[in-house]
Amino acid sequence: MTHRSKIAIFSILGQTAVFVPLYNEASRATTAGIPLEGQISLWAAFFLKLLGLSVAVTVVGTILLQMILQLRGKESVFTVTDERDRLIEAKAVRNFCYVFCFGFFLGMLLIVLGQSAALLFHAFAFSYLAAGIVLYLSYIFHYERGY
Amino acid sequence: MASAIRNKIRYYRFINSEMTQQELAERTGVTRQTILATESDKYSPSLELAFRIAAVFQQPLEEIFSFHPEETKQN
């Protein structure tokens, strides 16, 4: 398995580990009978925390994992990012966008069908998680397939 | 899926004092994984990389790489 695939697996675990407690906290807070304005503010804080923490966990985790892999292996890790890496990144980000857009329009559909605004944010939260997982799975798929 | 571009990188590495994939990667400015994927016909390199590889072996491009579209259609 390539180094980048190992880092992608770590990123999936890291993102999920950040998402679960934050989502539980936000869900509990928003089901406590708070008015809609308060709920929106709580969800906004949730998304900002989620973004910040997931970026921090991914960056710190990637640096640590690179150090470990470099110590264990003979080959240097990430010395070059070449055309194939950029192509794989473009494909992975494209898949991320597809899933995230699907979640966004699913949220819009829920509103049109008369569901509560809170459900919209639940859809956004899960589409963000799913899009992140698809992003890293795309990396693993392309690196392991050899493309 | 195999690429429609075939290559003789393995052969030319062999006759160039068993040049390693890592060495070829360093001389062409890409990762060893890209050389590995190219050599095993799993990745079609850009024209620039193909020229760089040919330049390392001091051969014309068409000597290292060949195009076989009919094989891709069969796959």
Side-chain angles (χ1 to χ4, degrees), chain A residues 72-83:
Chain A
R72 287 180 58 194
K74 291 174 193 164
E75 196 180 327
S76 56
V77 186
F78 290 178
T79 46
V80 185
T81 298
D82 63 17
E83 57 180 44

Side-chain angles (χ1 to χ4, degrees), chain B residues 31-42:
Chain B
T31 59
R32 192 184 66 82
Q33 281 74 27
T34 299
I35 295 296
L36 174 68
T38 306
E39 195 174 297
S40 52
D41 296 328
K42 287 179 178 169

Side-chain angles (χ1 to χ4, degrees), chain A residues 14-29:
Chain A
Q15 281 228 334
T16 311
V18 167
F19 179 85
V20 171
L22 281 177
Y23 177 76
N24 282 339
E25 186 191 326
S27 301
R28 252 184 278 124

Side-chain angles (χ1 to χ4, degrees), chain A residues 129-147:
Chain A
L129 176 70
I133 290 171
V134 164
L135 173 82
Y136 292 114
L137 286 178
S138 303
Y139 277 118
I140 295 168
F141 174 75
H142 288 299
Y143 277 114
E144 293 310 309
R145 196 179 70 159
Y147 173 72

Side-chain angles (χ1 to χ4, degrees), chain B residues 3-73:
Chain B
S3 145
I5 297 177
R6 299 278 173 273
N7 68 80
K8 296 180 189 167
I9 295 175
R10 178 72 192 93
Y11 169 73
Y12 277 100
R13 281 200 304 111
F14 179 75
I15 62 167
N16 278 272
S17 320
E18 269 291 341
M19 183 189 287
T20 62
Q21 289 178 338
Q22 184 63 39
E23 193 183 340
L24 179 59
E26 281 166 13
R27 290 177 69 175
T28 51
V30 295
T31 59
R32 192 184 66 82
Q33 281 74 27
T34 299
I35 295 296
L36 174 68
T38 306
E39 195 174 297
S40 52
D41 296 328
K42 287 179 178 169
Y43 172 65
S44 299
S46 68
L47 197 55
E48 185 183 339
L49 176 58
F51 272 113
R52 282 178 193 274
I53 292 169
V56 168
F57 297 130
Q58 296 177 320
Q59 294 292 328
L61 187 67
E62 61 272 23
E63 175 55 29
I64 310 286
F65 295 96
S66 53
F67 185 49
H68 302 270
E70 69 285 351
E71 289 179 26
T72 309
K73 280 178 193 166

Side-chain angles (χ1 to χ4, degrees), chain A residues 2 5 20-21 24 26 33 35 39-41 49 55 72 77 79-80 83 94 98 109-110 120 127-128 130 136 138:
Chain A
T2 65
S5 297
V20 171
N24 282 339
Q39 284 190 28
I40 291 172
S41 158
K49 276 191 232 170
V55 167
R72 287 180 58 194
V77 186
T79 46
V80 185
E83 57 180 44
R94 181 199 61 184
Y98 283 158
L109 183 70
L110 289 171
L120 172 81
S127 70
Y128 179 83
Y136 292 114
S138 303

